[in-house]
Amino acid sequence: MPRPLMKYCPQCGNKTEPIIPEGDNRVRDVCDSCDLIHYQNPRIIAGCIPAWDDKVLLCKRAIHPRKGFWTLPAGFMELGETTEQAALRETLEEAEAVVQAQGLYAVFNLPHINQVYMMYRSALLKPEFSSGIESLEVRLFAEHEIPWGSLAFETMRLSLEYYFQDMKAGAFKFRSADIEKPLFR
Ligand SMILES: [Zn+2]
């Protein structure tokens, strides 16, 4: 299983060694000097599918990775917030849009990069939005307008596919998927 290598202790700066600590069952980076055990766990990315009528709001990324590609507003959860708060905050930051959360819609596991995505359905309170600092452009897309070939991430493609399938079916149901390591582009 992938485990980012750590060479130096974040607490004292001395060298760490990859060992299995007593009572544990997997390798951790442990400090030679202060005995700090550096635990690493997956990171959560929270985002929104902001809707207005039959359209959804996408942002064109102004930052790497995948600069210039389209994404739903989403980003790493910060300490002290809930996943829903993180999703709403990212939508405000990236699309300058105020939305009302309508419940958790999709969860994606990406074990090869140690990430978990949590995507919320949400409603724009009014069709007002603009490019936040991390976006080059923000606009509403109906299904036939979605730039399928220029989406930033597999998680966004799946979120949008599920969303429009459910919209046409007339009922949104909770979705989840485990995404394996993508092929080289
Ligand atoms: Zn240390």
Side-chain angles (χ1 to χ4, degrees), residues 9-16 31-36:
C9 175
Q11 182 162 273
C12 75
N14 284 297
K15 264 182 60 195
T16 59
C31 181
D32 279 348
S33 178
C34 75
D35 292 334
L36 181 85

Side-chain angles (χ1 to χ4, degrees), residues 168-181:
K168 277 181 279 190
F172 291 96
K173 59 186 181 196
F174 177 73
R175 304 287 200 146
S176 69
D178 298 340
I179 297 174
E180 304 300 329
K181 187 168 186 157

Side-chain angles (χ1 to χ4, degrees), residues 97-113:
V98 178
V99 294
Q100 186 167 47
Q102 296 178 309
L104 181 62
Y105 178 59
V107 170
F108 301 109
N109 289 291
L110 293 86
H112 62 289
I113 47 174

Side-chain angles (χ1 to χ4, degrees), residues 33-96:
S33 178
C34 75
D35 292 334
L36 181 85
I37 303 172
H38 184 71
Y39 293 100
Q40 298 188 87
N41 302 94
R43 295 210 285 174
I44 292 175
I45 293 158
C48 277
I49 306 170
W52 180 258
D53 290 335
D54 62 346
K55 298 184 173 185
V56 298
L57 194 65
L58 297 181
C59 307
K60 194 177 203 177
R61 289 171 62 82
I63 52 169
H64 291 290
R66 305 295 281 157
K67 185 178 175 181
F69 289 79
W70 292 90
T71 184
L72 291 159
F76 289 109
M77 198 176 170
E78 298 287 356
L79 301 181
E81 63 185 5
T82 66
T83 50
E84 183 178 299
Q85 287 166 350
L88 299 183
R89 175 183 52 73
E90 290 290 344
T91 305
L92 188 59
E93 287 176 4
E94 295 181 5
E96 298 183 353

Side-chain angles (χ1 to χ4, degrees), residues 143 160-172:
E143 184 181 11
L160 291 166
E161 281 182 6
Y162 292 153
Y163 184 84
F164 285 112
Q165 276 172 21
D166 286 356
M167 180 192 283
K168 277 181 279 190
F172 291 96

